[in-house]
Amino acid sequence: MSGPGAALRGYNEELREGLAELRARREELSGRIRAEEAERARLQGRIWALTERLARTSESLARNLAARSELDRTIAETEAAYGKV
């Protein structure tokens, strides 16, 4: 029984080595996944901050454009009135 028994032990050893290799690859992959999840969270935080900044800047720009338009209209009316004098 040493022939089949030895072959069985050999298969078992190969199976253990294969499983150990798979577990090592899984751990490596898990580390990469954790790193990528952290990077994604960091980027999402930056996106949120930039989105908020963009919204504030857009609102300010709209107010400034409206104020400039009002000033342009006032200047045009004043020049027109001054030209009649």
Side-chain angles (χ1 to χ4, degrees):
M1 189 179 293
S2 66
L8 206 56
R9 282 191 293 277
Y11 292 140
N12 283 339
E13 182 60 31
E14 285 180 35
L15 181 59
R16 275 193 288 269
E17 289 172 6
L19 284 172
E21 182 181 324
L22 290 173
R23 286 186 180 112
R25 288 173 52 194
R26 180 182 62 188
E27 283 304 309
E28 179 185 335
L29 187 56
S30 292
R32 285 189 298 209
I33 289 169
R34 283 189 297 273
E36 288 179 1
E37 286 173 339
E39 175 71 1
R40 182 177 69 183
R42 185 183 69 78
L43 291 172
Q44 284 177 330
R46 285 182 61 196
I47 288 170
W48 178 83
L50 290 171
T51 299
E52 289 293 314
R53 186 173 164 190
L54 177 61
R56 286 192 306 272
T57 301
S58 295
E59 290 169 4
S60 176
L61 178 60
R63 285 191 305 271
N64 288 333
L65 288 170
R68 184 178 71 181
S69 178
E70 182 65 27
L71 286 173
D72 288 343
R73 187 172 41 251
T74 301
I75 290 169
E77 289 172 0
T78 303
E79 287 175 340
Y82 180 74
K84 291 180 182 179
V85 173

